[in-house]
Amino acid sequence: MAAAEVRLLTATLSETSKTPADVGVTDDGRSAGLLTDVLAGHFAEALSRSEAQPWLQPKQRSFTSTPDYFQAVEEQIRQNTSAADSLLQLQAAVASFLIFTQANLTGPPASLPECPADLHSHQSNDEVPPGATTPTSVLGHDTVSDGDRWASQQLAVDGEEVTGKARLPQYLLLARTLLTAPLGLLFVHSKEDKPIDGDQVSEVLTDLPSWSWWTARVLLINQRLLNRSAATLRSALSMLMPQVLKFFGPDSTLDLGVSRRNLAAAAELECALVEHVYSSPHTALGHLQAAGQALGMQTSVQGAMGMRTAHQVDPKAQLVVSTSHLAQDNGYTSGEDSAALDSTSLGSQAESSELKGLTTDSDVLSAPRMVEGSGGMVERPLGGLEQAVLLGFAQQVKKGTSADELQAWQMAPYVEAVLRQTRSHPVIRASAKLLQARHERTRTRTLERSLMHLQQLAEAPSQPQPPHMTRLRHAFGVLFPLRAALRKELGEQLLSTGLVGAAMGLFEEEELWDSLIICYRLLQKLPQAQQLVQARLQVTPDDASLLCALGDITLDDKHYQKAWDMSKGRSTRAQRSLARSAQRQQHWEEAEGHWEKALGLNPLFPQGWFAMGYCCMKTHHTQRALEAFTRCAQQEPDNGEAWNNIAAIHLQLQHAPEAFSALREAVKYKRDSWQTWANYGQAAAQTGNNLPAARAVQKVMELTQGQRVEVEILAVLVQQMQNRRQEHGMHGSDTPGADHAQQQLEQAVAAALKAASAAPGSTPAVWGLYAQYYRSMGFQVSAKEALLKQIRGLQGSSWQKDPAAFETYATASLQLCRLHVEMVSSGQGTAQNLASARMHLRTTLKQAAQTQAESELYHQMQQLLQEVERLEQRRAETS
């Protein structure tokens, strides 16, 4: 592997030498100057070099527009045959990619031409001064060139739109084209449909192993630029990341020198980030653990005593991160870069322009003040990669747990461990501050501080310091949002706090028209919102997203259809809007068809699969509904509604085991839904999972404050307990002995019956089940008392006239009187038991004589009365 590749990769992790003495110059020596410029952060100068001109200024054909230019670039790529040219192509792609990253992620902004082809004639200017701003209003004129608009359309994969206004999108498109075209993955703009040579792809990855890593980085940034996940990008990344681990992971056979450990950890960490972006936390956890092992770092969360507020006197238990290390070096390099880490961090120098009068002061501490000697503190300063791994674990909590009030507190120890460090790389520090700000905005006492910090983070990329190469360190190892997404988040928080004017100005600046329309809706100014969209359509009449926005305002489907036509069948939003409109009108067949088209363009949309499943259920397409809900649950494992609907369909199809498995997932994420717990208990009872069924019964009563009791599930549990006692040969008060499972079942059933009998929603049937339980356990006196309570509860009903009610009342009466007889026969009863049975039977028969005399249960009570009278007579004769 060329040393130049290692130097390019390590430049994004730590400071690297800017001299070309040991950069792995190729045989013809052409890559040294270009690589030197990239390592020094002079990306525009690198692309202006003559070595990069074959891709920046293709000579094979002339071009007059941006599409023609990129087509010429692809034709040039196809003519590339040498390894030296491939290395130059890689370096040119990296330089172009880092220009886009600087403009949209790290900052500071630089004055560069929109098209990379113009760099050769461009006179390098200084960075854009902090005071430079966009026009006050962009509604009436176009702030995006035709070339940038076309580039943004090409970056919109699977019909998913670019979020807001991207800066210098042609540079990202150029990097993507240079890296993906030789691999034959996607995004070919050439009109010639020439197949990609598989041997050439293998040769590229073998000769230049870092190609796969840089391609993955480019595609991940492309994904983060979009407003939703794209299946095509997901598929490409799933092919590239295993290659990254093959060449740079812990088991790599390449000679990576002293950078082996850091590169292995970075590779695992970025694999975890890919899984987090696509909501696969279980896979991500393995990569995070592997990254920690590569760094020799072990992480655990434990408790320690500390104070959360400034005036707190008594310490309370706090969650803190504890780290231990096998290696002894601290991960930092010496020199200029490390000095910058001590004095500056991204966001620390930004001043608020919208929030004057607010303050970051609060009696709630940003991090708990730990009691000395209580443990839980980080043992030594952490390096950049180690801090990034901690933030990865924080993202793991966010992606892998349900979104409740505990989630942010479970993330907090990892974030606080990073913020507690005296030195951090700028993007890592900013990512930690962002996670902390998101947590603090959920609490009233820290809301102002959260808003101030978020404002600082949003404005920080526009500040001239720290230098852009310092900001670049670990920029691909954390999920810090791109400029438009971060400013959108700030605008939404401003909106939630009532600062609508400030939010509207921010949305207009970033061309977030949908968010701006929401502001007008909140102000009840729909006519102004419609005028806004129409004004923008005068500037960009072919913008499908604006047509869809107009349809959202007017609720007119013709705008959605026009957006679909203008996009040439590529606008997923148009089809989703048509589907939702059809659902509102309850046109289920039509809605199902629109969802099918939308999901055909981009299947990575769990809400779409859920909606399609619902439409299929309405049209009685049961199997298709099951498939749709399954796809939704696969993509969004924490969607409890999807799991619940999967279970409902399985129950409908009488597939109880499958329903129980689905409901076991559903209750993890819908813990406050008594309906889900009721379904869970039903499926558990049907599949013989008795302990979960008993727990579900109690959970339903807990969530409904006892207003609902699942009597049917209780009946199954009592019957299961009786059957198991019979199978084990237990009678009466026999104990299960060493059968631990039977002991647990009996205890669970007893607890459930006790809670059900005391619940406000209890019914007489519960006392009947309680009696059945007592009889099986050999407690005849308790069974008699339970049956008496059941009968008393039934006496208020019109059982004399209602055949069903009479059947219930008569059955309970027969059970009670037979129990009296059994007690006398076993020697536990007295003459009083027989007298009670006789009196109850006579009274019941008399009351039911006119309406139920012909029923079978009536005759059984007559026969039992005769038996009781004979026993009384026999006892009288004996005495």
Side-chain angles (χ1 to χ4, degrees):
M1 177 178 176
E5 295 184 75
V6 177
R7 300 300 296 277
L8 276 176
L9 290 172
T10 54
T12 62
L13 304 178
S14 60
E15 185 183 20
T16 184
S17 172
K18 302 177 180 64
T19 62
D22 56 346
V23 297
V25 180
T26 54
D27 293 339
D28 58 6
R30 291 183 296 161
S31 68
L34 195 154
L35 178 60
T36 301
D37 283 338
V38 173
L39 295 179
H42 304 152
F43 310 132
E45 288 81 349
L47 291 180
S48 299
R49 284 184 172 270
S50 59
E51 296 91 336
Q53 292 314 298
W55 298 279
L56 272 295
Q57 293 283 349
K59 298 179 180 179
Q60 285 73 15
R61 51 169 293 176
S62 60
F63 49 88
T64 57
S65 64
T66 302
D68 288 343
Y69 166 65
F70 278 92
Q71 184 176 340
V73 170
E74 288 190 355
E75 292 176 358
Q76 174 65 28
I77 293 171
R78 291 182 177 276
Q79 297 179 11
N80 177 21
T81 57
S82 68
D85 286 343
S86 295
L87 180 58
L88 288 171
Q89 181 176 330
L90 172 63
Q91 293 171 355
V94 171
S96 183
F97 173 52
L98 295 181
I99 287 175
F100 177 84
T101 303
Q102 178 182 341
N104 293 273
L105 180 60
T106 61
S111 176
L112 294 175
E114 295 175 346
C115 182
D118 298 330
L119 276 173
H120 187 66
S121 58
H122 174 69
Q123 297 296 324
S124 178
N125 294 331
D126 294 334
E127 293 172 346
V128 176
T133 59
T134 56
T136 304
S137 175
V138 298
L139 293 179
H141 62 276
D142 196 0
T143 61
V144 179
S145 67
D146 292 339
D148 277 359
R149 182 176 297 107
W150 179 86
S152 296
Q153 292 172 353
Q154 302 308 306
L155 292 172
V157 183
D158 294 340
E160 299 299 344
E161 303 161 356
V162 171
T163 301
K165 179 181 178 181
R167 276 71 178 173
L168 304 179
Q170 295 185 49
Y171 289 86
L172 179 61
L173 183 60
L174 176 63
R176 194 182 74 177
T177 303
L178 291 173
L179 291 171
T180 60
L183 300 181
L185 289 175
L186 43 122
F187 318 123
V188 177
H189 307 294
S190 175
K191 298 178 181 179
E192 301 180 16
D193 188 16
K194 296 181 180 179
I196 299 297
D197 188 351
D199 294 335
Q200 181 181 350
V201 172
S202 177
E203 182 180 350
V204 168
L205 294 180
T206 303
D207 293 343
L208 299 171
S210 65
W211 194 291
S212 57
W213 199 341
W214 283 109
T215 306
R217 285 177 168 180
V218 168
L219 296 186
L220 185 58
I221 289 292
N222 193 167
Q223 173 60 81
R224 293 169 59 191
L225 191 64
L226 306 181
N227 53 12
R228 288 188 179 88
S229 299
T232 302
L233 292 173
R234 177 70 174 108
S235 176
L237 285 166
S238 67
M239 292 187 290
L240 289 168
M241 297 316 293
Q243 294 294 322
V244 174
L245 291 179
K246 173 185 175 182
F247 292 124
F248 299 96
D251 299 327
S252 172
T253 59
L254 296 178
D255 181 14
L256 302 174
V258 295
S259 303
R260 170 181 293 275
R261 188 187 70 167
N262 285 349
L263 289 175
E268 292 283 2
L269 179 60
E270 292 185 33
C271 284
L273 295 188
V274 170
E275 300 301 334
H276 282 156
V277 168
Y278 292 103
S279 301
S280 300
H282 298 295
T283 309
L285 179 59
H287 291 302
L288 287 173
Q289 293 171 341
Q293 292 173 0
L295 294 171
M297 179 179 70
Q298 295 179 345
T299 304
S300 62
V301 178
Q302 61 187 45
M305 303 303 291
M307 274 80 77
R308 277 279 173 188
T309 63
H311 309 294
Q312 185 175 340
V313 177
D314 299 324
K316 303 294 183 182
Q318 310 290 337
L319 285 178
V320 293
V321 167
S322 176
T323 61
S324 59
H325 303 80
L326 301 178
Q328 294 301 317
D329 66 345
N330 63 11
Y332 284 102
T333 60
S334 60
E336 176 183 309
D337 197 21
S338 295
L341 296 178
D342 292 323
S343 59
T344 61
S345 61
L346 196 62
S348 63
Q349 298 180 350
E351 297 181 357
S352 171
S353 60
E354 299 288 351
L355 308 178
K356 293 181 180 180
L358 300 186
T359 176
T360 59
D361 295 336
S362 173
D363 62 342
V364 179
L365 302 176
S366 297
R369 185 172 62 246
M370 309 309 300
V371 176
E372 186 176 355
S374 65
M377 302 299 290
V378 177
E379 295 180 357
R380 64 164 176 78
L382 299 178
L385 277 170
E386 293 167 324
Q387 294 178 34
V389 169
L390 290 182
L391 293 180
F393 277 113
Q395 289 289 344
Q396 176 66 25
V397 173
K398 180 180 179 180
K399 296 292 185 178
T401 59
S402 57
D404 53 23
E405 60 183 8
L406 295 179
Q407 186 186 73
W409 291 106
Q410 292 172 333
M411 296 171 62
Y414 298 104
V415 176
E416 291 162 358
V418 174
L419 293 176
R420 201 177 289 121
Q421 299 296 307
T422 57
R423 295 191 299 173
S424 292
H425 292 277
V427 175
I428 291 179
R429 176 74 65 173
S431 298
K433 284 186 176 181
L434 178 61
L435 292 176
Q436 185 182 58
R438 288 171 177 171
H439 182 197
E440 289 187 336
R441 71 182 172 208
T442 62
R443 296 175 286 170
T444 305
R445 296 166 69 183
T446 55
L447 180 60
E448 285 190 15
R449 183 167 67 195
S450 167
L451 191 55
M452 292 288 289
H453 284 168
L454 189 57
Q455 173 81 7
Q456 292 173 356
L457 291 172
E459 292 185 356
S462 301
Q463 304 301 313
Q465 292 295 329
H468 62 275
M469 281 305 293
T470 300
R471 305 185 193 204
L472 188 62
R473 314 297 183 223
H474 304 286
F476 308 114
V478 293
L479 287 179
F480 190 73
L482 299 179
R483 174 188 171 93
L486 180 60
R487 293 175 70 80
K488 179 181 179 181
E489 183 175 348
L490 172 61
E492 290 171 348
Q493 188 163 343
L494 289 169
L495 193 61
S496 67
T497 55
L499 301 173
V500 181
M504 293 177 69
L506 196 62
F507 293 147
E508 183 177 340
E509 179 184 344
E510 292 299 322
E511 301 190 10
L512 295 164
W513 308 122
D514 288 325
S515 300
L516 190 56
I517 290 170
I518 291 174
C519 294
Y520 281 115
R521 284 183 179 274
L522 292 175
L523 296 173
Q524 298 183 355
K525 295 182 177 180
L526 282 183
Q528 287 86 337
Q530 186 171 348
Q531 291 174 7
L532 157 71
V533 177
Q534 290 173 341
R536 287 303 302 173
L537 284 173
Q538 294 293 324
V539 179
T540 55
D542 59 343
D543 192 331
S545 62
L546 285 174
L547 289 169
C548 290
L550 185 59
D552 294 340
I553 296 172
T554 61
L555 298 179
D556 191 341
D557 288 357
K558 70 179 182 182
H559 299 299
Y560 302 137
Q561 188 60 50
K562 184 177 180 180
W564 176 252
D565 296 336
M566 294 293 291
S567 68
K568 299 179 180 179
R570 298 300 301 169
S571 174
T572 53
R573 178 177 176 178
Q575 284 298 325
R576 291 168 186 166
S577 299
L578 285 169
R580 294 188 184 102
S581 177
Q583 282 182 256
R584 285 195 299 267
Q585 301 172 50
Q586 298 186 4
H587 298 164
W588 307 115
E589 289 277 3
E590 183 181 345
E592 182 181 340
H594 288 304
W595 280 122
E596 189 171 2
K597 288 182 180 179
L599 294 168
L601 286 172
N602 182 21
L604 280 186
F605 187 55
Q607 297 89 340
W609 287 110
F610 187 92
M612 182 176 175
Y614 182 79
C615 294
C616 290
M617 290 182 69
K618 289 292 187 178
T619 56
H620 306 290
H621 297 158
T622 306
Q623 192 59 40
R624 293 191 67 185
L626 179 60
E627 293 172 358
F629 286 128
T630 301
R631 292 289 294 272
C632 176
Q634 289 172 342
Q635 295 176 19
E636 199 173 40
D638 61 346
N639 190 327
E641 287 287 355
W643 288 112
N644 193 43
N645 289 348
I646 290 172
I649 294 174
H650 280 303
L651 287 174
Q652 180 182 345
L653 299 175
Q654 299 183 350
H655 299 161
E658 291 83 355
F660 176 68
S661 298
L663 284 165
R664 188 164 49 191
E665 296 296 321
V667 295
K668 292 180 183 178
Y669 308 107
K670 289 180 64 65
R671 289 178 288 190
D672 296 333
S673 170
W674 69 263
Q675 295 94 335
T676 303
W677 280 105
N679 292 338
Y680 177 64
Q682 181 183 356
Q686 291 180 13
T687 55
N689 293 281
N690 299 314
L691 292 180
R695 177 170 175 258
V697 170
Q698 296 207 59
K699 196 69 178 177
V700 170
M701 289 186 286
E702 175 187 335
L703 293 172
T704 60
Q705 288 78 46
Q707 296 299 322
R708 184 176 179 87
V709 178
E710 297 297 322
V711 179
E712 294 181 359
I713 301 176
L714 281 173
V716 174
L717 290 174
V718 173
Q719 187 62 48
Q720 289 283 346
M721 189 199 73
Q722 286 182 317
N723 294 341
R724 293 192 62 169
R725 287 182 67 86
Q726 292 175 2
E727 292 173 2
H728 289 77
M730 292 183 288
H731 303 282
S733 58
D734 293 346
T735 59
D739 191 344
H740 184 62
Q742 181 65 16
Q743 287 181 355
Q744 286 185 314
L745 176 59
E746 292 177 1
Q747 292 171 0
V749 172
L753 287 170
K754 182 179 179 180
S757 62
S762 180
T763 62
V766 173
W767 289 108
L769 294 173
Y770 223 152
Q772 189 177 345
Y773 165 79
Y774 280 135
R775 290 193 67 179
S776 65
M777 298 294 293
F779 304 138
Q780 292 183 326
V781 175
S782 298
K784 181 193 70 173
E785 295 297 329
L787 285 169
L788 281 172
K789 291 179 179 179
Q790 181 188 15
I791 290 172
R792 289 169 188 160
L794 292 171
Q795 283 175 344
S797 62
S798 57
W799 60 269
Q800 299 93 339
K801 301 179 180 179
D802 186 358
F806 172 76
E807 182 180 353
T808 303
Y809 187 87
T811 301
S813 299
L814 286 169
Q815 290 176 351
L816 174 63
C817 296
R818 284 169 180 162
L819 183 58
H820 280 301
V821 173
E822 289 178 10
M823 293 176 66
V824 172
S825 301
S826 62
Q828 297 183 19
T830 62
Q832 182 63 37
N833 292 95
L834 293 176
S836 298
R838 172 172 46 80
M839 293 173 61
H840 179 74
L841 287 170
R842 284 181 177 176
T843 302
T844 303
L845 290 170
K846 182 178 180 180
Q847 292 177 348
Q850 295 182 356
T851 57
Q852 306 294 336
E854 301 299 326
S855 69
E856 178 64 26
L857 290 173
Y858 188 89
H859 294 307
Q860 291 182 18
M861 285 192 291
Q862 287 179 324
Q863 295 172 3
L864 184 56
L865 176 61
Q866 294 172 4
E867 181 182 350
V868 170
E869 291 174 341
R870 285 196 299 270
L871 285 174
E872 283 186 312
Q873 184 178 2
R874 190 178 302 119
R875 286 178 65 89
E877 293 174 353
T878 303
S879 61

